[in-house]
Amino acid sequence: MFTPCAAKIPYAAKWELVESAVFTMPPGRGGHQMCVDEDSRIAYLYGGWDGKRNLDDLWMLNMDTGRWTCLSLSTHEQGGPGPRSCHAMCFDSERKCIYIMGKYVDFEYRGNTGLENDLYCYDTINSEWLVLSENTEAMSGPKLVYNSQMAFDPR
């Protein structure tokens, strides 16, 4: 089933080293998510784990220049999601919005942290966060998810 579909997709990978020593760039991390605005050629990076703590920073990469811009060091302070890793994220190419849902909560912190599955939207045009749901399960949506993926289909 996969082979006929894959055969129809032209693929030509080309890797180039981007010299970024003179530019600001996000610190190393794991458990983060990225999404791409293909029209603007901008990639967005959100959150993750730096080895000591979860992050709630939002970065933008101009794919034409290779330059990173920090949009926020703490989205939580701007009404957005709090620090998290292993969340899901996607880009809505019609509304120019980023959607972020879920997070991983370590077992030892589960008694001190809410296990609600929240859903946020970031409007990239107006630079504004909107809470779509503080608990998707209460709205007949999914329970807390982590290590999952989201995708946007404009059709």
Side-chain angles (χ1 to χ4, degrees):
M1 176 157 78
F2 177 73
T3 303
C5 180
K8 295 177 184 176
I9 301 170
Y11 180 74
K14 180 181 174 187
W15 288 93
E16 294 179 24
L17 179 62
V18 177
E19 294 295 330
S20 57
V22 295
F23 302 126
T24 301
M25 56 192 305
R29 65 193 65 211
H32 56 282
Q33 286 290 325
M34 293 185 76
C35 61
V36 175
D37 177 351
E38 292 181 49
D39 298 332
S40 300
R41 296 197 34 82
I42 292 176
Y44 294 93
L45 174 133
Y46 177 77
W49 170 258
D50 70 0
K52 296 179 183 169
R53 63 187 176 92
N54 282 322
L55 305 169
D56 64 336
D57 54 350
L58 178 63
W59 292 79
M60 174 178 89
L61 172 66
N62 180 315
M63 295 177 359
D64 292 324
T65 66
R67 291 186 184 231
W68 286 96
T69 301
C70 181
L71 300 176
S72 176
L73 287 174
S74 176
T75 57
H76 185 68
E77 291 177 6
Q78 298 170 330
R84 62 191 60 210
S85 60
C86 302
H87 49 286
M89 181 168 135
C90 70
F91 187 80
D92 176 340
S93 58
E94 291 183 348
R95 292 180 184 86
K96 301 294 182 188
C97 292
I98 297 170
Y99 295 94
I100 296 175
M101 180 177 72
K103 61 188 171 237
Y104 178 73
V105 179
D106 281 323
F107 182 76
E108 64 263 21
Y109 298 115
R110 291 183 184 177
N112 302 329
T113 302
L115 297 178
E116 296 80 25
N117 192 50
D118 50 16
L119 176 62
Y120 286 85
C121 173
Y122 180 71
D123 179 340
T124 63
I125 303 299
N126 298 306
S127 303
E128 294 177 343
W129 285 100
L130 177 65
V131 181
L132 299 179
S133 176
E134 291 181 355
N135 185 353
T136 59
E137 182 181 12
M139 300 173 69
S140 300
K143 294 180 180 181
L144 179 63
V145 296
Y146 61 92
N147 284 339
S148 60
Q149 297 296 318
M150 286 196 303
F152 173 76
D153 183 358
R155 292 176 273 151

